[in-house]
Amino acid sequence: DSPSGSQASDYSFTAPTIAPVAGSITPKALTAVATIGGATSKVYDGSTAALGASVSGMVSGAIAGDTLSLDTSGLTLAYDSAHVASATQIAASGSTGLRIGSSASGSQASDYSFTAPTIAAVAGSITPKALTAVATIGGANSKVYDGSTAASGANVTGTVGGAIAGDTLSLDTSGLTLGYNSAHVASATQIAASGSAGFGIGSSASGSQASDYSFTAPTIAPVAGSITPKALTATAAIGGATSKVYDGS
């Protein structure tokens, strides 16, 4: 307002120099959550690796136009034990990060404040690895009659398959008894196994335990067997009266 009716053109104006001042932009805080999912059980393989499990999560707090996700490539998932009897959970180790999928503003990771989420362990289990076993009766399948059904000259041999790499397994036949189906020459026709077979761990690079495997005893087919007669020796002598009175005979 001017009592003289002044106009802008009545003045000569030079714009002032405006000095810049220090200023800053602080990172925008993000929130992240993550959980362990996927397969939480596996068959025994001698390791703690939880290869079937996975981590999924989300990151929130991005500005409009930004798509953010949780980077889980730095995580490792593992069971708390490699063994069937003692594995109870799966936990995550390592670190998560922030991934910027797309940004309308050209956002950079440093534009955000990211705190890795706490990832709770979950229940997990390891199931026994199934083994296969085969066995046959061999050795001597005939004996001389001794009054018993024991087939002491026969034996059982077999193999156990399905072990993990680094384990050496064998068939334990100490619980088996081999016997003829009759103690007699005339009726003994076969030898069969009774009792139960097991398996033994000879050596293990992973420290495997018997409970880490599922073992089903093999069916052992009877084999033909026979008992031969026991040879006897006989001796005889004439005794008694060696003289008589003549009687015409």
Side-chain angles (χ1 to χ4, degrees), residues 34-236:
T35 56
I36 298 174
T40 56
S41 182
K42 72 169 183 176
V43 175
Y44 176 69
D45 62 7
S47 76
T48 58
L51 301 178
S54 60
V55 172
S56 59
M58 59 179 295
V59 179
S60 57
I63 64 170
D66 278 11
T67 302
L68 307 183
S69 61
L70 190 67
D71 181 2
T72 62
S73 60
L75 290 176
T76 299
L77 297 177
Y79 290 86
D80 54 340
S81 169
H83 302 290
V84 170
S86 48
T88 60
Q89 66 176 22
I90 298 172
S93 61
S95 59
T96 55
L98 169 67
R99 181 183 290 119
I100 301 176
S102 62
S103 174
S105 304
S107 296
Q108 302 170 358
S110 57
D111 293 327
Y112 289 104
S113 172
F114 174 80
T115 301
T118 298
I119 305 174
V122 297
S125 62
I126 298 176
T127 57
K129 189 174 193 311
L131 299 176
T132 57
V134 293
T136 57
I137 298 173
N141 59 358
S142 181
K143 72 170 183 176
V144 176
Y145 174 71
D146 62 6
S148 76
T149 58
S152 52
N155 56 53
V156 173
T157 58
T159 60
V160 178
I164 65 169
D167 278 12
T168 302
L169 307 183
S170 60
L171 189 68
D172 180 1
T173 61
S174 61
L176 293 175
T177 300
L178 296 177
Y180 289 87
N181 59 330
S182 171
H184 304 289
V185 170
S187 50
T189 59
Q190 66 177 21
I191 299 172
S194 60
S196 60
F199 77 99
I201 302 175
S203 62
S204 174
S206 304
S208 297
Q209 304 167 359
S211 56
D212 292 327
Y213 290 106
S214 171
F215 176 78
T216 301
T219 299
I220 305 173
V223 296
S226 61
I227 298 176
T228 58
K230 184 169 176 35
L232 302 176
T233 57
T235 59

